[in-house]
């Protein structure tokens, strides 16, 4: 516990400004419990309940007590220690805050690619800031680029502006990759007088947010930088789930269903669906499992051969013989070793992947032509349709704003065992969260598809 505390302790504004006096919270959540006054354990109807979180509240990170190192999923635990208790800080409004709302200028920026739910998050951040009494709220257009591009001006945000933005997908503020250096971004923060920065994005954006936070600490600026993980792939460590993921799985199932209908209605039909997932196959796995219509699920974490007696193509031939059709679901980062490496990078420095979906489609066509068996191969790539969907982000996103007012910086907000918690950014972006090929979830997926090992 002690070790965890020192590792996970959040950098606090008071570390930078020891003389910053906390003031009573302006987040007014006065409620009355609907329960009668004499019931033990409940507040009486006459008392006001503010719903504040105590600073010492913690959420348990791991819920399973692995009694044997051989239990599925336990291999990541130190073999000499079968049970490790780890806790994270509980998110939510605090009784004492470290910013006077009238002195706050808050900015929101969305970076990376699109993800369902971005507008919901922007809306909820703006509304919560207003409840605290913040008057100066702006959006930075087109990601980090908006800090340096002189042609892009700040977008003033208020409840009136954001009221209905959650009804459409995408991001009100726009997104981008690449952009200015961290030092230029912090210069811009200083110039604009921004002291709360809410950054919505994936691993790259969070690496940027952490660097901005460090630069602000170095310059002794009283700025709270709070990340909100936006990753459709659900590849952020420690968190149960990131917003947009459920919507993505739901939409992905529609694509799988279309591929199934196409495959099923054709003579010897094969449907190939490519889904998001650069290094983590969560969407492909969950969508395959929940649709129940996939025969072969391929993810980046599990290597496979396409050719050879144990390859995917030989199995597809078997499926056509046995049931007349087949559906393949492949994550975009799967089987990259089978493709030619182009060494190309995008504006943010991410490696541009080869298209595994198109490759599987072409190789499948070639294979069946060579063996003289008819096969009708259909390929579906729903990526951009899924990313642009609208979603319902959970109201837990409010905690983002509470974290800033509580004086935290360099943290990210997410779900941990169904409770919202604050995580130090370096811990959640150490590496992408991956599907464990020994986990129960992957085994359930294999049971559903009935696929063998393709090695
Ligand atoms: P997605 O899940 O859509 O890929 P992402 O946040 O990972 O989202 P990126 O394009 O990788 O998207 O990064 C978003 C922004 O973060 C870019 O503007 C990029 O310049 C910046 N960025 C990425 N990595 C770093 C880093 N190590 N330090 C500072 N900034 C970074
Ligand atoms: Mg990324």
């Amino acid at each position: 516990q002690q070790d965890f505390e020192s590792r996970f302790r959040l950098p606090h504004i008071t570390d930078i400004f020891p003389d910053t006096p906390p003031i009573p919270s302006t987040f007014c959540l006065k409620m009355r419990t609907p329960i009668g006054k004499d019931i033990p354990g409940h507040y009486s109807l006459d008392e006001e309940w503010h719903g504040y979180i105590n600073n010492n509240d913690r959420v348990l990170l791991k819920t399973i007590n692995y009694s044997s190192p051989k239990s599925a999923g336990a291999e990541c635990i130190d073999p000499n220690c079968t049970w490790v208790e780890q806790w994270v800080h509980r998110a939510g409004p605090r009784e004492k805050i470290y910013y006077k709302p009238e002195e706050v200028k808050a900015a929101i920026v969305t970076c990376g690619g699109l993800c369902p739910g971005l507008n919901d998050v922007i809306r909820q951040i703006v509304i919560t800031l207003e409840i605290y009494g913040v008057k100066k709220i702006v959006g930075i257009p087109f990601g980090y680029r908006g800090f340096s591009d002189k042609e892009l001006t700040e977008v003033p945000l208020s409840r009136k502006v954001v009221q209905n933005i959650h009804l459409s997908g995408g991001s009100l503020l726009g997104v981008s990759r690449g952009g200015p250096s961290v030092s230029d971004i912090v210069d811009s923060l200083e110039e604009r007088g921004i002291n709360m920065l809410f950054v919505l994005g994936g691993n790259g954006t969070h690496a940027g947010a952490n660097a901005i936070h460090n630069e602000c600490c170095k310059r002794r600026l009283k700025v709270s930088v709070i990340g909100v993980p936006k990753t459709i792939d659900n590849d952020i460590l420690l968190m149960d789930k990131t917003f947009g993921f459920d919507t993505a799985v739901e939409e992905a199932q529609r694509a799988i269903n279309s591929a199934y209908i196409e495959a099923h209605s054709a003579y010897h039909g094969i449907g190939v669906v490519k889904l998001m997932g650069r290094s983590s196959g969560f969407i492909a796995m969950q969508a395959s499992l929940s649709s129940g219509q996939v025969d072969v699920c391929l993810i980046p974490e599990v290597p496979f051969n396409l050719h050879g007696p144990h390859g995917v193509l030989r199995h597809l031939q078997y499926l056509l013989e046995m049931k007349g059709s087949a559906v393949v679901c492949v994550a975009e980062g799967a089987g990259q070793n089978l493709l030619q490496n182009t060494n190309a990078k995008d504006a943010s420095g991410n490696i541009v992947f080869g298209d595994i979906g198109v490759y599987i489609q072409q190789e499948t066509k070639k294979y069946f032509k060579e063996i003289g068996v008819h096969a009708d191969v259909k390929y579906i790539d729903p990526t951009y349709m899924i990313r642009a969907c609208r979603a319902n982000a959970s109201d837990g996103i409010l905690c983002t704003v509470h974290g800033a007012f509580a004086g935290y910086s360099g943290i990210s907000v997410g779900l941990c065992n169904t409770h919202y918690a604050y995580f130090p950014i370096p811990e959640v972006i150490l590496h992408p969260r991956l599907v464990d090929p020994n986990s129960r979830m992957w085994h359930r997926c294999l049971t559903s598809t009935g696929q063998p090992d393709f090695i």
Side-chain angles (χ1 to χ4, degrees):
Q1 176 70 15
Q2 207 51 45
D3 173 52
F4 182 78
E5 271 301 295
S6 57
R7 267 180 6 94
F8 275 61
R9 194 180 59 77
L10 300 170
H12 204 282
I13 289 292
T14 47
D15 290 347
I16 314 171
F17 293 94
D19 50 350
T20 308
I23 58 167
S25 178
T26 49
F27 181 80
C28 207
L29 193 103
K30 285 187 182 146
M31 283 188 182
R32 285 160 195 273
T33 56
I35 300 176
K37 54 160 79 163
D38 298 328
I39 300 173
H42 290 277
Y43 297 96
S44 90
L45 270 175
D46 304 328
E47 277 178 58
E48 278 172 351
W49 176 71
H50 289 269
Y52 294 125
I53 299 286
N54 191 294
N55 268 335
N56 296 323
D57 285 0
R58 297 288 183 269
V59 180
L60 188 58
L61 202 55
K62 290 196 189 325
T63 47
I64 300 177
N65 183 350
Y66 296 103
S67 56
S68 155
K70 291 198 178 123
S71 300
E75 60 278 1
C76 48
I77 306 280
D78 177 357
N80 299 317
C81 172
T82 51
W83 173 234
V84 188
E85 268 193 7
Q86 294 188 323
W87 304 82
V88 280
H89 291 57
R90 187 177 172 207
R94 273 30 183 193
E95 201 164 2
K96 289 275 172 10
I97 55 173
Y98 287 83
Y99 287 92
K100 289 189 182 132
E102 62 274 20
E103 291 172 5
V104 170
K105 180 174 177 188
I108 306 173
V109 61
T110 53
C111 314
L114 285 181
C115 168
L118 281 172
N119 278 337
D120 300 65
V121 177
I122 295 171
R123 181 176 180 271
Q124 285 167 355
I125 290 176
V126 171
I127 288 173
T128 316
L129 282 165
E130 283 201 350
I131 296 175
Y132 270 98
V134 177
K135 297 273 188 295
K136 284 176 277 178
I137 311 169
V138 296
I140 304 295
F142 299 105
Y144 288 139
R145 189 177 297 271
F147 280 112
S148 61
D149 196 324
K150 295 283 176 253
E151 295 194 346
L152 301 173
T153 46
E154 294 176 355
V155 184
L157 297 175
S158 63
R159 181 187 275 265
K160 205 170 154 201
V161 175
V162 299
Q163 191 61 46
N164 293 319
I165 60 170
H166 61 302
L167 300 179
S168 51
S171 164
L172 171 76
L173 303 173
V175 291
S176 76
R177 298 191 191 276
S181 70
V182 169
S183 155
D184 288 348
I185 294 174
V186 178
D187 286 349
S188 172
L189 288 177
E190 278 196 83
E191 256 167 51
R192 295 163 193 246
I194 292 167
N195 51 6
M196 273 188 195
L197 178 62
F198 300 97
V199 185
L200 282 57
N203 51 351
T205 307
H206 272 69
N210 196 48
I212 295 169
H213 159 69
N214 288 335
E215 181 65 22
C216 288
C217 288
K218 210 168 92 192
R219 298 192 194 181
R220 300 188 63 74
L221 301 175
K222 187 182 170 185
V223 177
S224 273
V225 184
I226 313 280
V228 186
K230 168 240 66 166
T231 153
I232 206 165
D233 299 352
N234 202 30
D235 57 355
I236 295 276
L237 288 173
L238 307 177
M239 298 181 188
D240 295 353
K241 217 180 320 189
T242 47
F243 75 84
F245 175 71
D246 280 342
T247 312
V249 171
E250 196 65 42
E251 289 299 315
Q253 281 188 75
R254 282 186 229 281
I256 289 173
N257 187 245
S258 305
Y260 175 82
I261 292 170
E262 285 286 346
H264 210 65
S265 313
Y267 172 62
H268 276 186
I270 297 176
V272 180
V273 182
K274 185 183 77 170
L275 297 175
M276 294 79 69
R278 285 179 61 83
S279 42
S280 317
F282 288 105
I283 295 180
M285 172 177 73
Q286 298 263 20
S288 297
L289 180 55
S290 42
S291 75
Q293 293 175 316
V294 171
D295 301 291
V296 176
C297 175
L298 304 170
I299 59 172
E301 296 88 337
V302 180
F304 63 91
N305 287 329
L306 214 49
H307 300 275
H310 301 293
V312 173
L313 298 175
R314 179 67 191 82
H315 185 61
L316 287 179
Q317 184 188 345
Y318 165 79
L319 289 170
L320 289 194
E321 284 161 14
M322 297 306 290
K323 46 185 257 183
S325 66
V327 175
V328 180
C329 173
V330 58
E332 63 179 313
Q336 288 297 310
N337 57 320
L338 307 174
L339 304 170
Q340 208 134 40
N341 187 355
T342 60
N343 285 326
K345 293 201 170 158
D346 70 11
S348 297
N350 304 307
I351 293 166
V352 176
F353 283 169
D355 196 327
I356 186 68
V358 170
Y359 180 71
I360 289 178
Q361 178 201 27
Q362 288 168 347
E363 290 303 301
T364 308
K365 280 184 178 170
K366 219 159 46 177
Y367 174 79
F368 283 100
K369 199 170 168 196
E370 272 168 19
I371 62 169
V373 174
H374 174 82
D376 193 348
V377 187
K378 304 265 169 54
Y379 175 51
I380 296 181
D381 179 355
T383 306
Y384 288 102
M385 290 182 67
I386 294 176
R387 281 163 32 129
C389 269
R390 59 165 288 216
N392 286 329
S394 142
D395 52 5
I397 297 299
L398 308 178
C399 295
T400 316
V401 175
H402 301 316
F405 268 101
Y408 295 131
S409 182
I411 58 160
S412 192
V413 182
L415 260 187
C416 174
N417 289 319
T418 71
H419 295 280
Y420 277 89
Y422 297 135
F423 301 85
I425 292 178
E427 301 285 340
V428 295
I429 57 165
L430 213 52
H431 56 82
R433 191 159 81 103
L434 301 176
V435 171
D436 176 358
N438 292 320
S439 65
R440 290 290 309 125
M441 197 54 145
W442 178 243
H443 288 175
R444 276 181 214 120
C445 183
L446 294 182
T447 310
S448 161
T449 60
Q451 73 195 64
D453 284 346
F454 296 116
I455 288 289

